[in-house]
Amino acid sequence: MKIAVVGATGLVGTILLDELASGDFDIPIDEIVPIASESSAGNFIDFGGKMLEIIPLRKKNIPKVDIAFFAVGDELSKRFAPLFVESGATVIDKSNAFRRDKNVPLIVPEINFYAIGDAKIIASPNCSTIQLAMVLAPLKKFVIKSVYASTYQAISGAGKKAIIRFLEEWEDIWEYFENADITDIVGEHPYSHFEPPAIFANIVPQIGKILDDGSFTEEDKLRYETRKILDMPNLFIAATAVRVPVLNVHSEAVSVEFDAPVEIEELRNALDKMAGIVPSEDVITPADVSSSRKVFVSRLRTDAERKNIASMWIMADNLRKGAATNAIQIAETLVRRKIKP
């Protein structure tokens, strides 16, 4: 099987290549074609110890491949994904370009693999959506009325430039603190007037562009995509998305309101039976989850006064299950469907 990775030099593209090279997935790989911008053309990228030449993304040299993983921005996906399909590929796209298209399935394989059908373009959801949907799916049988979610999203979710900026701020601020007394350190942040807001030693309740209703696009994605994946178009979801100074792993504080009182053991058993979920009675932090392909659930509890409300702490590596790994699992589903009747 010949596979292209479009956006091979970005964060998600790099992880895609790393995951594909691991040999842990049921995908027969004969050839990998790394594709990136003109500035990367002619450079080489490592794939499991083998150096592969990067080819530029151009209309005139669309390669003939079986599967093309797209890890680029919306506009590039809209422009080039149809061209890869015309060339015979199935495109698995990580951008927001096709997620709201009614003719394009939005897939988390553990939940709705059957929705792929004969689609030639398949959308992989937003990173924060995947981990929320993974947890809500096995809880649907208890009749979910509403969901309240606050996401605490890692810097890597904003790409390489955000990580570089964070590290530069770290260096600058520690230099500032070196000769400061305690009142300076707990006083005004040296970057308090920066636009956009500082990432280091700060949290920013703003991810994406602001919408007419006062929410940001990241929150809107969480609502829309979760409903589409779960096939629950009327599910009420209230969301707040926050960028936090953590390099990797998205966290979510989620409260789910059910139609009737629920028992914790029933919820835990349902989560335990769901492939890809790790329920834990211990407190889980980003350091515990980074590089994992699973979704972790801890602090599962019912409300002290309203037993039909359960709260939990959900975590997942946003570059793996939230991006690259989910895309590869979609490809696995395609491969298995073709091989097995």
Side-chain angles (χ1 to χ4, degrees):
M1 181 169 284
K2 190 173 181 179
I3 294 173
V5 175
V6 183
T9 58
L11 274 179
V12 174
T14 301
I15 299 296
L16 266 164
L17 289 168
D18 182 61
E19 290 282 73
L20 288 168
S22 71
D24 294 338
F25 298 93
D26 189 17
I27 302 174
I29 300 174
D30 299 314
E31 184 179 350
I32 292 285
V33 182
I35 302 172
S37 63
E38 293 282 352
S39 61
S40 298
N43 293 334
F44 288 80
I45 196 165
D46 179 50
F47 179 72
K50 183 179 180 181
M51 302 307 293
L52 304 178
E53 185 174 359
I54 299 169
I55 68 170
L57 183 60
R58 296 175 185 159
K59 283 187 176 181
K60 294 182 179 180
N61 66 345
I62 304 296
K64 288 188 176 296
V65 297
D66 299 294
I67 293 174
F69 292 104
F70 268 62
V72 294
D74 297 359
E75 293 307 314
L76 285 176
S77 285
K78 289 177 183 176
R79 182 180 172 191
F80 284 96
L83 299 179
F84 274 77
V85 171
E86 288 177 12
S87 187
T90 296
V91 171
I92 301 171
D93 181 54
K94 188 61 191 83
S95 80
N96 194 43
F98 303 103
R99 292 174 186 159
R100 291 176 183 259
D101 188 326
K102 293 181 180 179
N103 298 315
V104 175
L106 184 64
I107 300 297
V108 178
E110 295 93 335
I111 301 172
N112 64 338
F113 67 90
Y114 54 84
I116 292 174
D118 297 323
K120 299 299 288 183
I121 296 178
I122 303 164
S124 184
N126 191 39
C127 41
S128 57
T129 300
I130 290 174
Q131 62 194 77
L132 178 62
M134 282 279 290
V135 172
L136 294 181
L139 304 183
K140 281 176 64 175
K141 65 181 181 180
F142 300 104
V143 188
I144 298 172
K145 290 180 62 178
S146 55
V147 177
Y148 302 85
S150 294
T151 71
Y152 305 88
Q153 299 184 213
I155 298 162
S156 57
K160 280 185 177 179
K161 289 182 180 179
I163 291 178
I164 292 169
R165 182 185 169 201
F166 171 76
L167 297 175
E168 288 173 346
E169 288 179 3
W170 184 319
E171 183 178 354
D172 290 348
I173 292 176
W174 277 112
E175 185 176 328
Y176 169 85
F177 283 162
E178 196 171 26
N179 299 313
D181 60 32
I182 191 66
T183 55
D184 294 325
I185 292 172
V186 299
E188 183 179 34
H189 195 295
Y191 285 169
S192 62
H193 304 298
F194 271 37
E195 288 292 339
I199 301 174
F200 181 83
N202 202 19
I203 60 173
V204 184
Q206 170 188 340
I207 303 179
K209 297 177 181 179
I210 194 164
L211 302 175
D212 291 340
D213 65 358
S215 63
F216 286 91
T217 50
E218 187 74 9
E219 295 152 355
D220 185 56
K221 290 176 190 177
L222 192 70
R223 288 192 297 264
Y224 177 87
E225 294 177 22
T226 302
R227 290 166 177 162
K228 184 174 179 179
I229 294 164
L230 298 177
D231 193 22
M232 298 177 70
N234 298 318
L235 178 62
F236 177 81
I237 301 176
T240 300
V242 183
R243 186 74 69 196
V244 295
V246 172
L247 281 175
N248 199 37
V249 176
H250 287 353
S251 307
E252 296 175 349
V254 177
S255 292
V256 182
E257 181 183 9
F258 297 97
D259 189 51
V262 292
E263 296 292 334
I264 286 298
E265 283 308 311
E266 289 183 312
L267 299 180
R268 187 174 285 115
N269 289 338
L271 293 170
D272 195 45
K273 292 176 182 177
M274 177 71 175
I277 289 183
V278 180
S280 176
E281 295 187 18
D282 298 322
V283 173
I284 303 296
T285 71
D288 303 314
V289 174
S290 191
S291 295
S292 174
R293 297 167 181 153
K294 306 287 188 179
V295 175
F296 291 75
V297 182
S298 66
R299 298 209 62 209
L300 182 62
R301 62 205 187 275
T302 52
D303 187 84
E305 297 179 357
R306 298 176 63 188
K307 296 300 182 181
N308 65 320
I309 295 178
S311 297
M312 63 203 77
W313 183 246
I314 304 170
M315 309 189 78
D317 187 317
N318 53 289
L319 295 178
R320 294 190 186 270
K321 183 53 185 172
T325 305
N326 193 73
I328 294 172
Q329 289 171 328
I330 293 171
E332 269 192 316
T333 301
L334 295 173
V335 170
R336 288 169 181 163
R337 190 174 61 183
K338 288 179 181 179
I339 293 175
K340 299 174 183 178

